[in-house]
Amino acid sequence: MNADFVPDWPNIDLGFVENERYGKRIAGILRGIWRTMRHTNELRQADVIIARNFDLLVIAWIVRLLSGAGRVPLVYECLDIHGLFTKTGAIGAVMRWCERRLLARVQLLIVSSPGFITQYFDAIQAYRGPHRIIENKLWFDEEPSPRPDTRPDKATDAALIIGWVGSIRCSPSLDLLMAAADHFDDRIAIHIHGNVHRHVLPDFDQQIEKRENVTYFGPYDYPSGLAEVYAGCDVVWAQDLWQRGANSDWLLPNRIYEASWFGCPSIAVADTETGRKVATNKLGFTVDQPLAAALIGLLEKLDQRAISEMSDGLLATSDIDFMLRPEDVQTALEPVLPDGVKALP
């Protein structure tokens, strides 16, 4: 993921850690502490320290303590609730205890979805400290990608194209979409764009190869490649089902903002945070259950007119709803920033 990315800020590389290798993650935390301790002057001069997940929160808190940077506000940014923290049994209990200890020592919690606060940090971790929500909207370093005025007209008998875009890591979603592909045959096409997590989906390539109406297009450039990706989709499957009952039910994925920016309706599951957002903000359509029968039932009823009406509504919606702006970050960090300091230029 983003292996070729070169930071445009003064960067201290803390090293690489593989997915799901927890022993190596512990080693990575120790390595990160060691590397960061060689730059304590930068920490002491910082206006704020933001730790973007739990591993980095551990590193940030320890180094902040050891370097004499205790006056610098510490912010915990949590974009996903890792499965270790929702496990039953001793391991989950220990991880939640560790997180609670550090939550008591941060000055601000930032999350990307209100569901993380209501369903986890409040209900499970009993966190009552200050928090802000920065939704995982589109971010453009330069000029935003232009939004289309309208979506292209399409023949009523043309195959319906369903997109699956982003991090492709959800086995239940793959099964559900393949079942829909089998049911409709040439009446629909499934277009998959993004990075496939093959350690989670070991049979991904075999599933694609045996279906003529399913195509994997590979990774795309972000954000410059999004316009072409979403122009080629009528609707997108937006729901994450990977951690059903926990993180997947609570998150708001980046793809709902991407798709909406380009006027492409999303499909989500009604009883999740994503589904509620899609329904409330009229971003697309919902199904009652994450079942192939429910998705097939929705697709049977969808026609080009309904999709066009939803698309027109999305394109008429203000950019602010889908794009993250510098002032959004500024407002979120105001409780911890010194007077006169701006989060972004």
Side-chain angles (χ1 to χ4, degrees):
M1 299 285 283
N2 301 317
D4 298 328
F5 176 74
V6 178
D8 59 0
W9 56 81
N11 188 59
I12 300 167
D13 187 352
L14 300 185
F16 175 80
V17 178
E18 297 178 43
N19 284 326
E20 307 296 330
R21 301 293 181 90
Y22 298 120
K24 290 186 176 181
R25 289 185 80 155
I26 294 172
I29 290 173
L30 296 175
R31 180 184 61 233
I33 292 169
W34 172 255
R35 291 187 180 184
T36 310
M37 282 299 296
R38 292 152 57 189
H39 300 271
T40 54
N41 285 338
E42 287 94 329
L43 281 176
R44 287 194 293 267
Q45 295 169 15
D47 295 308
V48 62
I49 298 171
I50 301 175
R52 202 167 184 243
N53 60 30
F54 183 74
D55 298 31
L56 295 179
L57 179 61
V58 173
I59 294 171
W61 178 72
I62 291 175
V63 176
R64 176 174 172 259
L65 187 67
L66 296 178
S67 67
R71 66 162 189 83
V72 182
L74 178 58
V75 177
Y76 178 24
E77 183 180 22
C78 183
L79 303 181
D80 283 295
I81 309 300
H82 194 282
L84 284 177
F85 294 90
T86 55
K87 285 178 70 74
T88 58
I91 293 176
V94 169
M95 295 302 298
R96 289 188 293 275
W97 180 88
C98 292
E99 186 180 51
R100 283 196 298 273
R101 301 286 71 76
L102 291 181
L103 279 167
R105 290 159 174 79
V106 303
Q107 282 66 61
L108 181 66
L109 170 67
I110 292 177
V111 297
S112 57
S113 169
F116 291 153
I117 296 296
T118 57
Q119 301 298 319
Y120 178 74
F121 285 108
D122 185 358
I124 295 174
Q125 291 293 59
Y127 176 75
R128 302 292 184 266
H131 72 270
R132 293 291 186 272
I133 298 170
I134 302 180
E135 293 180 41
N136 195 17
K137 298 179 181 180
L138 271 164
W139 175 266
F140 299 101
D141 286 328
E142 299 176 354
E143 285 297 312
S145 298
R147 302 181 71 188
D149 294 325
T150 61
R151 297 278 290 179
D153 292 331
K154 191 169 179 178
T156 56
D157 59 348
L160 178 71
I161 301 176
I162 305 170
W164 188 20
V165 183
S167 289
I168 309 302
R169 65 180 185 181
C170 178
S171 181
S173 290
L174 179 63
D175 293 342
L176 186 151
L177 290 170
M178 295 306 99
D182 292 339
H183 176 84
F184 287 100
D185 197 22
D186 61 357
R187 288 190 289 156
I188 71 167
I190 310 290
H191 287 188
I192 304 174
H193 302 263
N195 292 286
V196 178
H197 294 231
R198 286 184 168 81
H199 67 289
V200 180
L201 303 174
D203 64 339
F204 177 81
D205 295 308
Q206 295 93 316
Q207 295 272 24
I208 304 307
E209 288 169 3
K210 66 183 182 182
R211 293 174 172 88
E212 293 185 0
N213 59 345
V214 181
T215 307
Y216 173 52
F217 292 87
Y220 50 88
D221 292 328
Y222 184 93
S224 60
L226 292 175
E228 182 178 357
V229 167
Y230 286 107
C233 302
D234 295 316
V235 293
V236 292
W237 175 253
Q239 187 66 55
D240 187 302
L241 301 169
W242 186 34
Q243 295 166 306
R244 182 73 168 141
N247 187 65
S248 294
D249 288 2
W250 307 333
L251 59 75
L252 289 176
N254 183 244
R255 59 175 67 96
I256 63 174
Y257 308 103
E258 296 173 358
S260 298
W261 179 271
F262 294 103
C264 186
S266 298
I267 299 175
V269 179
D271 67 349
T272 67
E273 197 71 28
T274 305
R276 287 187 285 272
K277 179 83 170 180
V278 166
T280 301
N281 291 38
K282 295 181 171 57
L283 306 183
F285 311 96
T286 61
V287 293
D288 291 337
Q289 296 291 330
L291 301 173
L295 177 59
I296 289 168
L298 171 66
L299 297 178
E300 291 279 15
K301 294 183 294 185
L302 271 187
D303 57 26
Q304 290 299 329
R305 179 179 176 181
I307 293 172
S308 294
E309 288 177 354
M310 188 67 70
S311 296
D312 291 344
L314 290 170
L315 293 173
T317 303
S318 170
D319 295 358
I320 293 172
D321 285 8
F322 311 130
M323 180 178 69
L324 186 65
R325 301 166 300 160
E327 47 265 44
D328 298 327
V329 181
Q330 178 72 32
T331 299
L333 290 177
E334 277 177 356
V336 294
L337 286 177
D339 292 341
V341 173
K342 290 187 175 295
L344 292 171

